[in-house]
Amino acid sequence: MSTPVPALAAELRVSLSRASRRLKAERGDAALPDPQFNVLAFLHRDGPMTPGQLAEAEHVQPPSMTRTVNCLVELGFVRKDEHPTDGRQVVVSLTEEGQAEVVETRRRRDAWLTARLTAMTPDERDRLADAIELLRRIATS
């Protein structure tokens, strides 16, 4: 008997939320809060950005992003440089320390997941691999 769609939706929401929270608990040595780590991750993936671009990417107001960026500058994870064409703007870039924090956090998260996947049976891992494509479709629609 198939699970009713509303019940499946509720169970999936709860399971994804719990898994996401647990995964995010695996952090680098700086133990940055999610908003700060997200900025580092955007810069790692997309390269230097203005605070306005970062605010748009994170769906926050520019003043909030400015505070986040300034905190990351103080911690030595990012630097602010002059914008090449607009003197009113700055460009935010990762420092070596910021890059190392992203790499270490991702390594720890991958290690946590690898340990959980290793404990599963081959059949369970195959079922999970099939579910990944379905989750990808949900996330992009």
Side-chain angles (χ1 to χ4, degrees), residues 14-26 34 109:
V14 170
S15 295
L16 288 173
S17 294
R18 286 181 180 160
S20 179
R21 277 194 306 273
R22 182 57 190 89
L23 188 58
K24 287 180 179 183
E26 297 297 318
D34 290 339
R109 290 175 179 178

Side-chain angles (χ1 to χ4, degrees), residues 48-53 79-93:
M49 302 170 85
T50 66
Q53 290 169 319
R79 70 174 183 274
K80 295 190 287 186
D81 298 307
E82 291 182 20
H83 193 282
T85 60
D86 185 346
R88 300 167 295 166
Q89 296 259 6
V90 296
V91 176
V92 182
S93 305

Side-chain angles (χ1 to χ4, degrees), residues 36-116:
Q36 290 179 7
F37 179 77
N38 291 346
V39 168
L40 298 184
F42 276 119
L43 295 171
H44 189 264
R45 185 188 70 206
D46 298 331
M49 302 170 85
T50 66
Q53 290 169 319
L54 287 165
E56 187 176 317
E58 268 293 278
H59 306 288
V60 299
Q61 295 298 313
S64 176
M65 184 54 66
T66 297
R67 286 189 296 277
T68 299
V69 167
N70 287 340
C71 183
L72 291 169
V73 168
E74 289 176 23
L75 292 169
F77 292 128
V78 301
R79 70 174 183 274
K80 295 190 287 186
D81 298 307
E82 291 182 20
H83 193 282
T85 60
D86 185 346
R88 300 167 295 166
Q89 296 259 6
V90 296
V91 176
V92 182
S93 305
L94 275 182
T95 62
E96 286 184 23
E97 293 83 1
Q99 182 167 333
E101 184 66 19
V102 171
V103 169
E104 178 61 15
T105 296
R106 288 180 176 164
R107 186 199 64 75
R108 289 180 185 189
R109 290 175 179 178
D110 286 349
W112 181 84
L113 273 173
T114 297
R116 268 73 204 157

